[in-house]
Amino acid sequence: MKFFHLVAAALANVFRSKRGYLWAIRLAQLTLFALAGIGSFLLRFEFSVPADSLRAMWLATAIWVMVKAATFQALGLGRGVWRYFSVRDMARVAAANIAASLASSIAILAFCPAPFPRSTLAIDLLLCAVFTVGIRSGTRLILELASRAHTTTDRRAFIYGAGGAGALLLREARSNPTFRYRICGFIDDNPEKHGMLVNGLPVCGAGEDLPRLAAAHHAQEALIAIPSASGSEFSRVVEHCRRAGLKFRTMPSLAEMADGRVTAQVRDVAVEDLLGRSAVELNWSGIRSKIENSVVLVTGAAGSIGSELCRQIARFQPAALVGFDCSETALFEIEQEMRRRYPALAFHPEIGSIQNRQRLGDVFRRYQPSIVYHAAAFKHVPMMEAHVFEAVENNVFGTYNVATISAEFGVGDFVMISSDKAVRPTNMMGVTKRVAELTVRSLQNGGPRFVSVRFGNVLGSNGSVVPIFKRQIAAGGPITVTHPEMKRYFMTIPEASQLVLEASSMARGGEIFILEMGEPVRIADLARQLVKLSGLRPDEDIRIEFTGARPGEKLFEELHNTEEQTIAGGHEKIRIYAGASLPHEKMARHLGVLRAACESRDIRRLVLELKDMVPDYNPSKELLARLIDPGHFRLARAIDAAETAIAPVEEVRVAVGGLL
Ligand SMILES: NC(=O)c1ccc[n+]([C@@H]2O[C@H](COP(=O)([O-])OP(=O)(O)OC[C@H]3O[C@@H](n4cnc5c(N)ncnc54)[C@H](O)[C@@H]3O)[C@@H](O)[C@H]2O)c1
């Protein structure tokens, strides 16, 4: 072992600088070429080369060295990193040897004195192939052994998943000295693989065997390498690890690695893994042709969705990216991040409110964007229920401002981010998003493309359940969930943002795109999963407390109205809503009434007008109770209807309007 250490230390020293490394491998190769040439003569003449063949030997060796050096250099084999020598590299080295051997044979037969011992040509080829492959594999082996010998304090771990990803992880563990794991073997739930060897390590058993195997191998962790696992399969694997008392980590997805979001080879298991959403297939060229070299403006750029849109857009090299938001600190943070991650990108943070037309006009005049993603909005349901005018002013008139100014400045594409709460809305937040959708659609008149993209909750956004639950777990609980049956659709923020770009690249104008959200998730189950991921026991270590549904909150969000249709959207995860719209003139009249209601702070008129515009809007009983005398007979009926079904517009009109 000491010998390995000495050689590895010497190699590591040489390999530290690029110049030193390149010179060392060139020198080593030249020496091997010469040794192979001389060796071929020694073998041919049984280690006693006759004097009259010595001249031929030196001349042929010189030709071999020169031709092989030129061939290896031309084929890029003078630059390879031997630490990572692979089977593919081996094939390239073999091909280089054959090519160099053929070329040198021609030169040798032309220039060397006859008779030339021709069998040396074949012997040289064989020797040189063995030497050049051998030195590369030997270097890799020595460095791997040395890095493993160094890591006596490493954690013992199983790789869960004996497929391609598992083999990749094992290779990383062997070749990367910073990977602090000693791998005991593989775990795989496919019994066909048990007892087989993957790169020399055994597949020891299935997930159920983990408690026994972990004890036998003194393992402390499991590294999950199953990128194709569905959410439920992943949860099962996590459960096996938990039962065996093993810590568990997983490999980052390819998308995460491509984004440069993660650098470590394994990361903690996140709640996103348990949702098991398959990777999004994007029409990269379509998105690129739209965004590359365009000026793109994102409103709400400092928020959860807007900031992720900025990250995704940055990958497509826009001419400039303008981040518009009214939150100064959050905008500062996204600016710092963009500068760090995309130094070549012209990112312009612009502070301002979408409620301020003049400020929007300044920004549009300065940058002349050709694509606008509008993600600025107020989104918290209970907060908007208590601030109805602010909800309308921001979500409806803010959207109207951005959309109409976009039209004024000749923007080609306007994309509004909408929400599943806009479907049969039961709260102010939802109805204002529905009115915003109608506003955007009413502006479509054959010019710029005005579209909306509607989707359900994203995991981990500002103020959403995951960060709240994590804080509650960190504080020792309890976790508060409004209702045991409360369900929501979830997708990850990058997935939603990528699909927004995809949808906008398909836009013809006027569409409301709906993103496929998979199966809805029970919030209480999500809470339990998060507790388990923290290594604690739900209901024992951390209690889950049910607090009752909040004003305007539905047990279950829909993505489109049942009576209205959606049509295929040209992508498996995108559909197009084919529901009702309002013509521009009618919309303008409604907006006029809404504006007047906001100016006069007339809550009854406001709610009535919203109900008129969105007939399936079902105001929360708390909001209705604020409008009129709770003892009023007709209102009581409207409130009852609101609790169970859609309140008929006439009923609300009579109940509320009668008192205007
Ligand atoms: N978070 C989700 O789960 C989710 C799911 C579907 C749809 N959406 C929709 O996406 C949009 C953005 O949501 P988010 O989660 O990113 O919210 P967020 O609160 O994280 O971001 C919103 C951003 O908009 C900015 N903003 C608000 N009003 C503004 C104004 N008047 N002028 C300028 N900037 C303003 C805020 O400062 C904030 O940075 C909302 O319309 C929401 O309904 C969100």
Side-chain angles (χ1 to χ4, degrees):
M1 229 5 134
K2 202 162 179 190
F3 167 74
F4 276 133
H5 277 307
L6 286 175
V7 180
L11 286 173
N13 263 339
V14 171
F15 289 179
R16 203 151 281 150
S17 91
K18 186 179 162 193
R19 260 164 84 92
Y21 170 77
L22 289 177
W23 275 112
I25 65 169
R26 274 181 209 142
L27 196 66
Q29 276 192 162
L30 292 178
T31 312
L32 293 179
F33 298 152
L35 285 178
I38 296 167
S40 69
F41 273 75
L42 288 175
L43 287 176
R44 161 69 180 76
F45 294 107
E46 295 177 348
F47 297 94
S48 166
V49 183
D52 57 355
S53 294
L54 277 178
R55 204 169 146 253
M57 181 180 86
W58 293 123
L59 194 56
T61 301
I63 294 175
W64 273 320
V65 169
M66 282 187 296
V67 175
K68 285 178 188 177
T71 314
F72 272 58
Q73 193 62 27
L75 295 179
L77 290 168
R79 286 178 277 139
V81 181
W82 290 0
R83 177 191 279 277
Y84 304 115
F85 185 61
S86 64
V87 176
R88 189 181 280 257
D89 293 331
M90 194 187 300
R92 289 177 56 225
V93 173
N97 269 302
I98 293 171
S101 207
L102 283 176
S104 22
S105 300
I106 297 169
I108 286 168
L109 293 178
F111 294 110
C112 286
F116 185 84
R118 291 176 183 218
S119 57
T120 57
L121 298 175
I123 301 173
D124 168 77
L125 171 60
L126 278 177
L127 282 182
C128 196
V130 170
F131 289 170
T132 46
V133 168
I135 193 168
R136 288 167 167 80
S137 334
T139 308
R140 179 177 158 186
L141 195 68
I142 288 171
L143 291 174
E144 280 185 13
L145 284 174
S147 80
R148 264 195 273 173
H150 262 301
T151 53
T152 43
T153 56
D154 287 356
R155 301 179 65 76
R156 296 178 65 82
F158 280 110
I159 294 181
Y160 203 128
L168 199 71
L169 200 57
L170 177 61
R171 196 171 152 194
E172 183 73 24
R174 283 175 170 169
S175 63
N176 188 340
T178 64
F179 195 84
R180 315 295 299 177
Y181 289 97
R182 178 179 288 248
I183 307 297
C184 319
F186 287 91
I187 300 295
D188 203 292
D189 291 333
N190 177 358
E192 301 280 302
K193 292 190 181 172
H194 295 168
M196 309 281 277
L197 292 183
V198 176
N199 290 347
L201 274 191
V203 183
C204 303
E208 286 103 50
D209 309 322
L210 255 184
R212 177 177 58 77
L213 292 169
H217 288 80
H218 306 290
Q220 296 136 310
E221 287 200 25
L223 308 177
I224 304 170
I226 325 177
S228 59
S230 67
S232 57
E233 283 165 350
F234 211 103
S235 303
R236 202 166 38 77
V237 168
V238 165
E239 194 53 39
H240 284 317
C241 301
R242 268 178 23 86
R243 276 199 312 108
L246 294 181
K247 283 191 150 191
F248 42 88
R249 309 192 84 203
T250 189
M251 288 175 82
S253 66
L254 280 179
E256 284 170 288
M257 291 196 242
D259 273 12
R261 233 175 267 260
V262 280
T263 48
Q265 309 88 342
V266 284
R267 59 154 170 77
D268 287 335
V269 173
V271 71
E272 285 85 340
D273 297 314
L274 308 183
L275 279 185
R277 307 257 326 161
S278 54
V280 184
E281 293 283 328
L282 294 183
N283 169 10
W284 295 98
S285 60
I287 301 175
R288 182 173 294 283
S289 68
K290 184 147 273 195
I291 292 179
E292 197 169 37
N293 298 324
S294 302
V295 177
V296 184
L297 184 143
V298 177
T299 71
S304 309
I305 310 276
S307 62
E308 184 60 26
L309 277 171
C310 288
R311 289 179 200 105
Q312 298 290 342
I313 290 166
R315 297 162 66 192
F316 293 95
Q317 284 132 18
L321 178 56
V322 185
F324 187 88
D325 204 292
C326 62
S327 169
E328 185 222 13
T329 305
L331 194 58
F332 171 76
E333 273 161 19
I334 184 72
E335 183 199 8
Q336 298 294 306
E337 184 190 331
M338 297 305 276
R339 300 238 179 284
R340 194 179 61 247
R341 280 179 60 178
Y342 307 99
L345 174 75
F347 180 77
H348 305 284
E350 289 291 343
I351 296 180
S353 171
I354 54 169
Q355 294 184 39
N356 184 340
R357 276 190 80 84
Q358 197 177 347
R359 173 73 185 124
L360 278 172
D362 288 346
V363 172
F364 274 69
R365 196 165 302 111
R366 176 156 178 215
Y367 297 104
Q368 305 284 335
S370 56
I371 309 175
V372 171
Y373 290 96
H374 172 48
F378 288 158
K379 67 166 185 182
H380 290 285
V381 169
M383 192 80 94
M384 291 303 96
E385 233 25 35
H387 297 86
V388 290
F389 300 111
E390 289 68 28
V392 172
E393 276 158 1
N394 209 39
N395 293 359
V396 176
F397 291 113
T399 299
Y400 178 81
N401 287 342
V402 186
T404 48
I405 287 180
S406 295
E408 233 172 79
F409 281 86
V411 163
D413 288 273
F414 175 92
V415 183
M416 186 193 75
I417 307 302
S418 188
S419 153
D420 58 358
K421 298 194 170 60
V423 179
R424 299 225 271 203
T426 56
N427 52 58
M428 254 306 142
M429 146 69 189
V431 73
T432 53
K433 290 305 282 188
R434 177 67 188 132
V435 173
E437 283 181 359
L438 289 167
T439 308
V440 169
R441 202 168 184 177
S442 74
L443 291 171
Q444 183 65 51
N445 63 359
R449 285 170 290 271
F450 283 98
V451 299
S452 303
V453 184
R454 193 190 268 181
F455 49 94
N457 291 16
V458 293
L459 275 171
S461 67
N462 296 334
S464 67
V465 287
V466 172
I468 292 176
F469 287 173
K470 280 185 178 165
R471 272 200 299 276
Q472 290 176 328
I473 293 170
I479 291 187
T480 50
V481 177
T482 50
H483 193 282
E485 286 309 312
M486 183 74 71
K487 279 186 177 178
R488 288 291 178 268
Y489 290 106
F490 280 106
M491 59 170 39
T492 65
I493 304 184
E495 183 182 7
S497 307
Q498 287 172 6
L499 285 170
V500 167
L501 299 191
E502 176 78 20
S504 60
S505 78
M506 306 183 320
R508 301 227 166 117
E511 295 101 330
I512 295 176
F513 292 103
I514 298 172
L515 305 187
E516 184 272 313
M517 299 292 296
E519 289 302 309
V521 177
R522 193 175 276 111
I523 302 288
D525 291 347
L526 186 74
R528 290 199 172 89
Q529 299 274 28
L530 275 169
V531 176
K532 286 184 191 173
L533 285 183
S534 322
L536 298 167
R537 287 162 305 174
D539 305 315
E540 290 176 43
D541 300 327
I542 301 278
R543 240 172 355 99
I544 297 185
E545 208 172 86
F546 297 102
T547 53
R550 295 173 300 183
E553 201 169 48
K554 285 184 194 174
L555 283 185
F556 188 84
E557 301 288 358
E558 306 153 84
L559 272 174
H560 54 84
N561 308 34
T562 41
E563 64 266 38
E564 284 160 328
Q565 299 293 312
T566 60
I567 53 172
H571 184 283
E572 53 164 352
K573 290 191 170 178
I574 301 176
R575 296 191 64 78
I576 297 174
Y577 173 71
S581 59
L582 286 176
H584 183 65
E585 300 69 36
K586 200 159 177 208
M587 198 64 210
R589 270 202 307 281
H590 279 305
L591 291 179
V593 178
L594 281 187
R595 199 181 289 279
C598 282
E599 275 164 11
S600 57
R601 310 297 280 181
D602 187 338
I603 192 166
R604 292 173 183 164
R605 205 161 157 205
L606 188 88
V607 173
L608 199 58
E609 195 60 20
L610 289 171
K611 182 77 189 163
D612 251 1
M613 296 170 87
V614 183
D616 55 7
Y617 167 40
N618 202 1
S620 68
K621 62 176 179 171
E622 288 79 5
L623 179 58
L624 286 176
R626 278 173 62 196
L627 306 191
I628 37 178
D629 171 13
H632 192 282
F633 169 69
R634 282 202 170 114
L635 175 73
R637 281 183 51 198
I639 292 174
D640 280 349
E643 257 187 299
T644 51
I646 303 169
V649 66
E650 271 319 305
E651 205 150 342
V652 178
R653 178 187 290 284
V654 174
V656 181
L659 298 179
L660 285 177

